[in-house]
Amino acid sequence: MEKRALLAFVLSMAIFMVWMALFNPKPEQVQQPEQTAQTEEQSPEQATVEQVRPIDGAAAGIAPQAAAIPEKEKRDVTVDTELYTAVFTERGGRLKSLKLKKYLTENDKNSDPKELVTVTEPSDLPLALSFKGQAGKGLEDAFFEADKTHIELQDGASAATLTMTYQGPEGLQVVRTYTFQKDSYLIGLNVALRNLSDQTIDDNLLLDMKSLPFRQGGRRYSFDGLGALLDDQLKEIKVGDIEDDLKDYKKKDYSVQWAGYEDQYFMAVVLPTEPDKTRIDASAIDENGVEIKFINAPLVMPPNTQKEYNYTIFYGPKDYNLLKGLGNGLERSIYFGWFDILAKPLLILLLWLHKFVGNYGIAIIIITILIKALFWPLTAKSYKSMKAMQKLQPKIMKLREKYKDDREAMNREMMGLYKTYKVNPMGGCLPMVIQIPVFIALYRLLDYALELRHAPFALWINDLSAPDRLFHFGFNIPLMEPPAGIPVLTLLMGASMFLQQKMTPTPGDPTQAKIMMFMPVFFTFIFINFPSGLVLYWLVNNVLSIGQQYLINKRPS
């Protein structure tokens, strides 16, 4: 029984570590009511045709513009707010750069603000407009004349607009109007189409967003890829799986609440104002990036008519309180895997505690103490059961020797022994198993919470989202994520685990005892690249467990 329990524990931990290293659990899918059967599959091109209205007097007098604008005359427009600095270009009216002022690229006060537009080719810049057919050919790189070249929103006015106008040689006029607020990451985008020609336009308008990873290299285990809320179902899809995971959506009606590119800490998404009339077509670019085309319902525009589309753009951090306050479902992007239902309350508790203590490391310590107190009775029961089993080891060994050739009789006698001494052979394991979901939830939280990014704790630990390193060596070490250095906190965790093992009642089998004593070495090796916030939790938990074990060992049996 002990061998089986030990084997189950080791296999469980091995499977857990491999799973966390190689796989990112997909979000749980919310079951939706079955849709009414249709006679044929509908695509965006077959959806209800958009309604248009006559052109107002102000736009009716604008004549088509035939001459192309030289590339050198296409200017940049800078928008400066309290939260970010954005740069738009008159080439296609696209977004050229967006840097977050409150987040740095590296954990260094001299580091540049975090850049979320990382594409390098001008033709890949996000927020390009185009048509699915032949209307407005070349619109992606066409000249959109801006009504201003600089917007300052740090002081004074709380909101401002940027209007960028394209006048095509065939009579199509496209007016982009961006709306900015000085204290919000949300950017409004209004697209007004006006048909000033004598021909009917029959096509689908597309808004194109291309994104490459927000960081160079990146962590091996973190998620980068397509994030979307489709039919109120969260989809987080790795770049290589986009085509397979979205193929079913090409054959049915669905709504697009938001879609875009996201990683561990940041996201760039589009929120259509009319989600039921919008579809997406996503694909991988450059192996690591994502291109998402937002396809609007078919548009039929007779001469002298116009149509407007509205979107909301979000380039910013995956800050739970911030996203929750927006009320548009973006907080759903903060998903901690299968144990999200446990991790979310722990995140809320972490943020609440930080308001009072002002240090996320101290908040982690407090949460560890609270969790330990919550499971104190179960842990105590586990330790007592293990201690009782240790006392029975001599008798168990005699039964094994006596009935070594009769396994059925041996099991019967051992069950009788457990019943006589009122010992549950699984009593030491079951309480631990109950705590595993909480540990995994806390693991996911501490590994993915934006709030721990570049958050200092004390002494040499200046980033709870990064592995702890003291005295950087200046050279790399195999299997240790750079920069290489002394993982002091991790070594302390391993030492505390070793001491805990020494205090824990050992099994009667010497081989099992040696295996258990090897576990601290194994965990130290695994944790060497884990975020220091997670290692801090494990260290504090071990210290509390040592204290609890000491008290139990001091009590008379």
Side-chain angles (χ1 to χ4, degrees):
M1 185 66 70
E2 285 183 359
K3 288 183 179 179
R4 292 177 181 176
L6 176 61
L7 180 60
F9 173 78
V10 173
L11 289 177
S12 297
M13 292 307 301
I15 292 172
F16 164 65
M17 298 311 302
V18 171
W19 171 73
M20 296 306 298
L22 300 180
F23 300 99
N24 199 13
K26 293 184 178 181
E28 297 174 356
Q29 302 295 314
V30 180
Q31 295 296 324
Q32 301 293 320
E34 292 187 3
Q35 297 181 345
T36 304
Q38 300 185 16
T39 56
E40 59 179 300
E41 297 173 347
Q42 286 193 343
S43 66
E45 295 83 353
Q46 298 169 317
T48 303
V49 177
E50 291 281 17
Q51 299 298 313
V52 297
R53 59 186 177 87
I55 292 178
D56 55 36
I62 299 178
Q65 175 181 319
I69 304 297
E71 179 67 30
K72 63 181 180 180
E73 296 183 17
K74 295 177 181 178
R75 304 165 297 175
D76 288 344
V77 180
T78 301
V79 180
D80 201 15
T81 76
E82 292 181 352
L83 301 178
Y84 60 84
T85 298
V87 178
F88 293 83
T89 174
E90 287 183 320
R91 176 176 177 171
R94 306 188 194 195
L95 179 63
K96 188 174 183 179
S97 169
L98 194 144
K99 295 182 178 180
L100 305 179
K101 293 184 175 181
K102 293 188 177 182
Y103 300 89
L104 302 179
T105 302
E106 305 292 341
N107 189 18
D108 183 342
K109 63 181 181 180
N110 297 320
S111 176
D112 294 331
K114 183 66 178 179
E115 174 67 77
L116 296 188
V117 179
T118 56
V119 294
T120 56
E121 296 295 330
S123 59
D124 289 337
L125 293 177
L127 306 184
L129 289 173
S130 64
F131 285 89
K132 195 173 184 65
Q134 295 300 313
K137 190 173 183 181
L139 186 62
E140 304 95 319
D141 296 318
F143 174 67
F144 278 78
E145 184 177 8
D147 64 344
K148 54 182 72 72
T149 59
H150 188 81
I151 295 175
E152 185 79 26
L153 274 177
Q154 294 192 69
D155 300 307
S158 60
T161 61
L162 168 64
T163 300
M164 309 181 80
T165 304
Y166 161 78
Q167 186 64 54
E170 303 299 328
L172 171 66
Q173 184 190 67
V174 182
V175 180
R176 292 170 173 259
T177 303
Y178 291 100
T179 303
F180 311 96
Q181 302 176 37
K182 71 176 183 179
D183 57 354
S184 175
Y185 291 102
L186 296 177
I187 300 173
L189 172 58
N190 172 272
V191 178
L193 305 179
R194 293 165 183 155
N195 185 4
L196 305 178
S197 71
D198 56 1
Q199 302 292 323
T200 297
I201 296 175
D202 186 356
D203 216 322
N204 295 76
L205 180 69
L206 309 181
L207 178 66
D208 196 327
M209 172 180 274
K210 293 182 181 179
S211 295
L212 291 177
F214 300 140
R215 55 178 170 243
Q216 296 298 322
R219 295 179 55 219
R220 291 177 296 172
Y221 310 135
S222 59
F223 171 78
D224 297 78
L226 170 68
L229 195 62
L230 309 179
D231 275 346
D232 202 37
Q233 298 182 17
L234 177 63
K235 303 286 290 185
E236 288 186 329
I237 308 172
K238 294 181 179 180
V239 174
D241 299 331
I242 290 177
E243 184 174 350
D244 289 338
D245 283 26
L246 288 181
K247 62 182 180 181
D248 290 339
Y249 282 89
K250 296 181 180 180
K251 302 178 181 180
K252 67 176 184 179
D253 288 332
Y254 59 94
S255 62
V256 182
Q257 284 89 342
W258 55 261
Y261 184 85
E262 63 170 308
D263 72 358
Q264 181 181 9
Y265 297 128
F266 303 99
M267 62 193 304
V269 299
V270 171
L271 301 90
T273 302
E274 298 181 300
D276 292 334
K277 294 183 178 181
T278 307
R279 305 290 182 266
I280 63 170
D281 184 13
S283 59
I285 58 172
D286 293 344
E287 297 183 357
N288 297 312
V290 173
E291 178 179 12
I292 305 173
K293 293 182 179 181
F294 294 83
I295 309 173
N296 290 282
L299 172 68
V300 177
M301 291 183 65
N304 296 314
T305 58
Q306 62 183 355
K307 171 64 182 177
E308 293 188 5
Y309 297 89
N310 289 284
Y311 307 89
T312 300
I313 315 298
F314 179 89
Y315 275 78
K318 293 170 70 172
D319 180 313
Y320 181 77
N321 284 336
L322 183 150
L323 298 180
K324 184 71 174 178
L326 297 178
N328 51 22
L330 285 179
E331 77 280 358
R332 297 274 297 276
S333 66
I334 302 177
Y335 181 78
F336 296 110
W338 294 335
F339 297 97
D340 185 75
I341 193 172
L342 297 175
K344 283 285 175 59
L346 290 173
L347 173 61
I348 294 172
L349 177 59
L350 178 71
L351 301 179
W352 182 79
L353 288 172
H354 182 260
K355 292 181 180 179
F356 296 95
V357 300
N359 185 298
Y360 280 108
I362 296 176
I364 290 172
I365 293 175
I366 295 175
I367 288 179
T368 307
I369 294 173
L370 293 176
I371 292 177
K372 195 65 180 176
L374 177 65
F375 287 108
W376 185 278
L378 288 174
T379 307
K381 184 177 181 181
S382 175
Y383 287 153
K384 289 178 181 179
S385 179
M386 293 167 65
K387 193 173 181 180
M389 285 293 296
Q390 184 184 33
K391 289 184 177 182
L392 286 181
Q393 283 302 315
K395 298 181 182 297
I396 293 175
M397 295 302 294
K398 289 181 179 180
L399 288 176
R400 287 175 176 170
E401 181 64 26
K402 182 177 181 180
Y403 297 101
K404 61 182 179 181
D405 297 327
D406 190 345
R407 179 171 293 274
E408 183 178 347
M410 180 182 66
N411 289 336
R412 185 173 57 253
E413 291 296 326
M414 288 179 66
M415 289 298 104
L417 184 66
Y418 294 146
K419 185 176 181 180
T420 300
Y421 288 91
K422 299 179 180 179
V423 173
N424 182 358
M426 297 301 295
C429 297
L430 291 179
M432 296 297 184
V433 171
I434 296 175
Q435 300 179 54
I436 288 178
V438 177
F439 164 72
I440 297 178
L442 196 57
Y443 167 87
R444 297 285 294 182
L445 164 64
L446 299 180
D447 196 29
Y448 275 77
L450 167 75
E451 290 74 15
L452 301 186
R453 182 180 185 268
H454 297 172
F457 171 46
L459 301 176
W460 72 94
I461 303 176
N462 58 5
D463 186 354
L464 287 167
S465 69
D468 76 291
R469 301 285 190 263
L470 181 63
F471 302 129
H472 295 169
F473 299 145
F475 54 87
N476 293 334
I477 296 178
L479 303 180
M480 177 181 284
E481 290 185 4
I486 304 174
V488 179
L489 200 66
T490 309
L491 295 175
L492 290 175
M493 185 218 71
S496 67
M497 219 176 155
F498 179 79
L499 179 58
Q500 185 181 3
Q501 288 288 352
K502 295 290 288 185
M503 297 177 64
T504 302
T506 57
D509 190 338
T511 302
Q512 295 180 40
K514 291 179 180 179
I515 292 176
M516 295 303 294
M517 292 307 296
F518 177 75
M519 292 300 290
V521 178
F522 172 76
F523 271 77
T524 301
F525 176 78
I526 292 296
F527 272 64
I528 200 169
N529 291 321
F530 277 13
S532 54
L534 181 63
V535 180
L536 176 64
Y537 157 73
W538 196 269
L539 171 61
V540 175
N541 183 74
N542 287 349
V543 172
L544 295 175
S545 297
I546 290 171
Q548 186 178 20
Q549 184 66 59
Y550 177 80
L551 293 177
I552 293 175
N553 290 344
K554 283 295 183 180
R555 292 177 183 175
S557 300

